[in-house]
Amino acid sequence: MISRRKFFSNAVAAAGVAALATATGSMSRAESGGQPSEHPENAIGSDQTDQQEYPPGEPGKDYTPVITPNGSTLPFKLLRGTKIFHLIAEEVDHEFAPGLRAYCWGFNGQVHGPTIEAVEGDMVRIYVTNRLPENTSIHWHGLLVPSGMDGVAGLSQKNIEPGETYKYEFKLRQHGTYMYHSHSDDMTQIALGMMGMLVIHPRKPNGPRPDRDFVLMSSEWRIDVGTRRPNPIEMTDFNVLTFNARAFPGTAPLVAKYGDRVRIRFGNLSPMEHHPIHLHGYYWKVTEMDGLPVSELAQQPGNTVLVAVGQTRVVEFVADNPGDWAMHCHMTHHTMNQMGHNAPNLIGVRPGDLAKRVSALLPGYMTMGESGMGDMGEMGMPVPRNSIPMLGAQGKHGYIDMGGMFTIVKVRENLTNYDDPGWYENPPGTLAGLASNEELQRDLGYAPASHEMQKPVNNMPRDHMDMNHGG
Ligand SMILES: [Cu+2]
């Protein structure tokens, strides 16, 4: 720890940002006195600063428990002041969304594993039982633990062989949002889902506790249509993108009451890809990066946060804008499912009976995107068993052409509980709708004839359409 602290100490001195240290709030005013501290290391990062011994943190009293949509929190028991957890690595028949299941690897019957939650200063003992057909080990991603507890098979410990149970034990000297994942045959085991979130609450929070504290872990998978197991060898072309191992519409909404202080803890352990997560209807502030609190003055505002592979990012906002708000990865292929990204571009093409003729040879073949991909889920076309090409869901106002890493933040006034409140009732005058001819004449001076767009292919102006298909 010394060398790490020295590092931060030097970094702070070099940058001359003692003010930043003060702003973290973990140093008293008297101690800092407005001057660069003699011990700036005490104020940086999330290391427990007071070295005080605390009794094990209690949910409700010492922290407001986090919510893992579509998931759960790992239970613990207290034994002589130590929190005892038990993770069981095993194969799980997991549902990504209605219509798609696969045999994944997870923990305690879940994919991803349950969220581990504790409090700064807690002593934890985590047993890991291996019920997989191959060796494993667990790494506590971002935690400051003794080298022998770091979980890199071969480097920091022996592999946990099938059938064995290992014991990890350490004191939580930090607070913040972290992750855990397999660190043995990583490529296979992470591609099959062996990961979870790890949240350590502060002993002395800097600000008010959130009313809603959500945990969302991003991942991506390759599940070829017709198979029942993710392919761990895939390097680039993932076709199932998930929040907490669920693809929309399998993702549970994040429900908040009007005025709630909402925190969302994002983590990303996708095999390959970073995810810019975007929320509609709000701006948020990034309050924590990789478990380290961001001082209030430095909290970056925004509505999209890039969560790179291996990173955690925490955002906070006050839910003061009622409605149903989309929250999703903004990479458009990450809000789609297994629909064959190598399909030829048929926008503007009239394929005639091509689909019928080819599907006689290739079951499940369909021509896609004659006028865009939006109707792929809605058409209700028969799809191969255990697959979700495109997908999406019926919304209040029609079909939602989104899948994958997409969920809905639902903010309501007058909620009595946090069950899914259904769709938002738009107050009068707040819903986009068809313009009347009278309005068009009044504001535009003319009314575009609606029949002009009925045959988009043949009537498409040449500067938009330089193909000569479909003749
Ligand atoms: Cu993404």
Side-chain angles (χ1 to χ4, degrees):
M1 290 343 313
I2 296 301
S3 58
R4 183 175 174 277
R5 289 177 164 228
K6 274 276 183 284
F7 168 79
F8 276 120
S9 165
N10 294 341
V12 168
V17 286
L20 184 82
T22 313
T24 64
S26 42
M27 186 175 14
S28 74
R29 196 167 285 276
E31 193 181 341
S32 66
Q35 298 295 317
S37 168
E38 287 177 34
H39 304 285
E41 68 273 23
N42 285 342
I44 290 293
S46 57
D47 292 13
Q48 189 187 336
T49 52
D50 52 17
Q51 301 305 321
Q52 198 177 318
E53 295 296 323
Y54 289 102
E58 291 177 41
K61 175 170 166 273
D62 295 303
Y63 63 93
T64 303
V66 296
I67 302 141
T68 308
N70 300 109
S72 71
T73 300
L74 185 63
F76 65 87
K77 70 174 185 184
L78 262 181
L79 204 60
R80 288 188 286 280
T82 298
K83 286 184 177 173
I84 315 286
F85 296 89
H86 188 190
L87 284 174
I88 300 166
E90 59 191 355
E91 183 165 292
V92 179
D93 182 0
H94 172 68
E95 185 190 73
F96 287 88
L100 178 64
R101 306 188 72 90
Y103 294 109
C104 303
W105 289 359
F107 298 91
N108 303 42
Q110 293 175 45
V111 177
H112 305 296
T115 300
I116 297 177
E117 189 172 26
V119 181
E120 177 187 23
D122 281 353
M123 259 318 282
V124 298
R125 189 177 302 140
I126 307 173
Y127 291 98
V128 177
T129 298
N130 182 5
R131 289 192 188 145
L132 297 170
E134 72 160 340
N135 293 338
T136 193
S137 70
I138 302 299
H139 166 59
W140 318 101
H141 187 105
L143 289 200
L144 306 176
V145 296
S147 174
M149 292 289 165
D150 197 45
V152 182
L155 174 66
S156 35
Q157 66 166 84
K158 285 184 179 170
N159 259 301
I160 311 173
E161 292 184 19
E164 290 183 335
T165 297
Y166 265 48
K167 181 184 75 176
Y168 296 88
E169 186 166 11
F170 38 83
K171 186 172 181 175
L172 301 175
R173 304 182 50 249
Q174 305 151 271
H175 58 81
T177 306
Y178 303 94
M179 305 184 279
Y180 64 91
H181 63 83
S182 158
H183 222 309
S184 175
D185 190 10
D186 299 30
M187 183 190 78
T188 302
Q189 297 190 6
I190 286 180
L192 294 183
M194 286 188 64
M195 58 188 86
M197 298 292 286
L198 201 165
V199 172
I200 309 173
H201 295 276
R203 224 23 111 152
K204 295 173 184 165
N206 279 335
R209 279 192 203 173
D211 301 293
R212 302 291 277 164
D213 193 343
F214 297 101
V215 168
L216 278 186
M217 174 169 254
S218 297
S219 192
E220 58 195 1
W221 319 67
R222 176 73 199 193
I223 306 174
D224 285 307
V225 173
T227 66
R228 275 280 268 143
R229 211 173 275 279
N231 177 8
I233 298 171
E234 180 57 55
M235 287 193 286
T236 54
D237 195 6
F238 299 91
N239 62 359
V240 178
L241 284 290
T242 55
F243 279 138
N244 290 347
R246 298 278 286 181
F248 185 77
T251 50
L254 279 58
V255 180
K257 294 176 186 170
Y258 180 85
D260 275 356
R261 178 175 289 270
V262 178
R263 176 185 290 161
I264 307 175
R265 305 169 185 258
F266 297 108
N268 180 13
L269 283 177
S270 301
M272 291 295 290
E273 292 176 291
H274 314 314
H275 303 294
I277 309 295
H278 173 59
L279 172 64
H280 296 214
Y282 287 92
Y283 75 91
W284 55 37
K285 286 189 172 177
V286 178
T287 58
E288 194 193 298
M289 302 168 79
D290 293 343
L292 298 164
V294 179
S295 69
E296 203 172 328
L297 289 173
Q299 289 174 1
Q300 206 171 15
N303 52 49
T304 306
V305 63
L306 181 62
V307 191
V309 176
Q311 289 183 333
T312 67
R313 293 289 182 270
V314 176
V315 301
E316 291 186 21
F317 59 94
V318 174
D320 56 4
N321 194 7
D324 287 341
W325 303 107
M327 187 169 76
H328 56 98
C329 176
H330 218 292
M331 298 214 185
T332 55
H333 283 242
H334 291 183
T335 50
M336 296 167 54
N337 295 319
Q338 299 163 295
M339 59 148 282
H341 292 69
N342 54 358
N345 174 15
L346 289 185
I347 290 181
V349 176
R350 285 186 297 176
D353 64 350
L354 179 71
K356 199 190 289 178
R357 287 155 66 185
V358 175
S359 65
L361 303 167
L362 288 175
Y365 177 84
M366 44 192 172
T367 8
M368 291 193 261
E370 191 179 337
S371 58
M373 306 281 182
D375 52 1
M376 290 309 299
E378 187 180 7
M379 286 188 292
M381 289 190 296
V383 301
R385 204 155 55 88
N386 196 44
S387 72
I388 43 173
M390 187 65 178
L391 205 65
Q394 192 65 37
K396 180 178 167 70
H397 306 289
Y399 204 81
I400 306 168
D401 299 316
M402 303 294 266
M405 209 176 284
F406 179 95
T407 189
I408 303 170
V409 174
K410 297 188 172 187
V411 179
R412 299 285 187 281
E413 292 164 300
N414 308 318
L415 280 188
T416 53
N417 60 44
Y418 287 113
D419 295 343
D420 186 342
W423 300 114
Y424 182 61
E425 289 295 333
N426 309 89
T430 66
L431 174 64
L434 199 61
S436 69
N437 273 339
E438 188 190 358
E439 290 166 326
L440 291 166
Q441 290 292 355
R442 180 192 68 204
D443 296 344
L444 299 183
Y446 75 107
S450 58
H451 69 262
E452 276 181 18
M453 288 305 295
Q454 280 174 2
K455 288 183 179 176
V457 174
N458 291 343
N459 294 346
M460 195 75 80
R462 281 287 142 188
D463 58 350
H464 286 167
M465 208 67 197
D466 58 7
M467 293 185 295
N468 193 19
H469 292 296

